Amino acid sequence: MRYKISYACVSDVGKRRRTNQDNFVCEKRYVENIESPPEYPLVGCPSVFDRPVIGVFDGMGGEECGEVAALIAAKRASALKIGDSPIDDLLDYCKRANEEICRYITDNKLRSMGTTAAMLVFTEKEISLCNIGDSKIFRFADRELEQISKDHYFPVNNGRKPPLSQNLGIPPSELSIRPHVAKGEYQSGDIYLLCSDGLTDMVTNDDIAGILSKNKPNDAAKLLVNKALDNGGRDNVTVIVCRVEHELSGFGKMITDLFCKEK
């Protein structure tokens, strides 16, 4: 059985930030210039035989260069070629992206900057995921929402959101990064959500599940971002909704391809 991935991506600066430090990768597309972002929602319908890479990157402060770290990560992810071992490819990607961000810090005499990464690769038989930081990946199947990424936090008990224990942009001399990786099977109808914490800090899991259960990816992505904004929009928010579907053949495939190009 052949499958395709229908996805929609929306990114918004939020109500309190001046700059959108989030970025993403949808196949080979990302935000190259934060001053002229693409028109949202950004949509696509790649076949799993294309081994599409989907990811969200949430840049983090330092010298107000979080958007640069996220851009470096997104640009490198857009060039990522997936072979027969996607997990190894993702781990190598994290190592290379971390090195490039660290070089930028050194070359520009910055104190620090970094980015999270939450990435999915769809192949013919399975998904492979990799994440570092607190940008999240969820699977929505059988009306149940399950986080399948792993948050990287330092343990604290002060009632506040804990600081990250892992991200891209950590010099190897300070700490060896350890991204979380996993793989699993998928089936038609499964929905995957990748997002920055600008969504999950503002919208409950129940509300997320309700939106995913009733809407196609295009509408779901817009509604999720709008819900985060309605609830305060304290941070940048980036959402990618992916739905696994059977890939049609013949005339049906031609109509679907035409629809995707128009969208």
Side-chain angles (χ1 to χ4, degrees):
M1 183 64 67
R2 297 174 63 96
Y3 294 93
K4 63 183 178 69
I5 308 301
S6 296
Y7 69 77
C9 172
V10 177
S11 185
D12 194 280
V13 68
K15 292 186 174 182
R16 301 190 184 183
R17 305 287 189 180
R18 292 181 298 176
T19 302
N20 191 347
Q21 295 191 327
D22 286 357
N23 214 310
F24 59 81
V25 61
C26 291
E27 300 176 85
K28 297 186 180 300
R29 295 182 288 180
Y30 62 99
V31 179
E32 298 183 52
N33 183 353
I34 63 172
E35 300 299 329
S36 57
E39 182 178 349
Y40 298 113
L42 193 67
V43 301
C45 305
S47 167
V48 296
F49 287 88
D50 298 327
R51 301 191 171 187
V53 178
I54 309 292
V56 167
F57 311 95
D58 184 354
M60 299 179 302
E63 300 291 330
E64 293 299 321
C65 288
E67 70 274 15
V68 177
L71 172 60
I72 291 171
K75 182 177 181 180
R76 179 169 283 274
S78 73
L80 182 57
K81 295 181 179 180
I82 303 299
D84 294 332
S85 182
I87 293 293
D88 289 342
D89 293 333
L90 288 168
L91 288 172
D92 183 69
Y93 157 83
C94 286
K95 178 182 178 182
R96 304 301 179 191
N98 189 66
E99 291 172 347
E100 187 171 349
I101 293 169
C102 289
R103 280 198 301 272
Y104 187 95
I105 294 170
T106 300
D107 292 346
N108 291 274
K109 298 180 173 58
L110 304 177
R111 288 183 297 173
S112 66
M113 71 178 192
T115 183
T116 68
M119 302 173 65
L120 272 182
V121 172
F122 293 88
T123 60
E124 296 88 332
K125 296 182 179 180
E126 62 189 11
I127 60 162
S128 299
L129 72 87
C130 174
N131 84 276
I132 185 166
D134 63 351
S135 293
K136 294 174 173 55
I137 305 173
F138 295 92
R139 177 175 56 225
F140 183 72
D142 299 322
R143 305 192 68 81
E144 294 289 334
L145 184 70
E146 175 190 10
Q147 182 177 337
I148 56 175
S149 58
K150 178 182 178 182
D151 295 331
H152 295 108
Y153 292 128
F154 285 111
V156 294
N157 294 308
N158 59 9
R160 298 180 179 179
K161 186 174 181 179
L164 295 183
S165 60
Q166 291 271 303
N167 60 263
L168 298 179
I170 299 176
S173 60
E174 294 183 12
L175 180 71
S176 295
I177 61 169
R178 298 184 182 277
H180 170 68
V181 292
K183 59 183 179 180
E185 298 179 349
Y186 59 76
Q187 59 184 358
S188 183
D190 286 354
I191 297 173
Y192 293 89
L193 167 66
L194 300 87
C195 61
S196 59
D197 63 354
L199 177 71
T200 50
D201 285 351
M202 304 305 300
V203 183
T204 67
N205 282 7
D206 286 344
D207 283 345
I208 291 173
I211 290 172
L212 293 177
S213 69
K214 299 175 183 177
N215 297 278
K216 295 180 179 179
N218 190 341
D219 293 327
K222 292 185 287 186
L223 288 168
L224 287 169
V225 170
N226 287 338
K227 187 71 171 178
L229 298 178
D230 290 343
N231 289 349
R234 291 196 302 263
D235 199 355
N236 311 145
V237 54
T238 300
V239 166
I240 307 176
V241 179
C242 308
R243 180 181 174 88
V244 180
E245 300 175 355
H246 291 306
E247 186 173 19
L248 302 177
S249 58
F251 181 73
K253 183 176 186 300
M254 181 179 68
I255 295 298
T256 299
D257 289 346
L258 178 62
F259 174 79
C260 289
K261 289 178 180 178
E262 290 179 347
K263 297 297 287 182

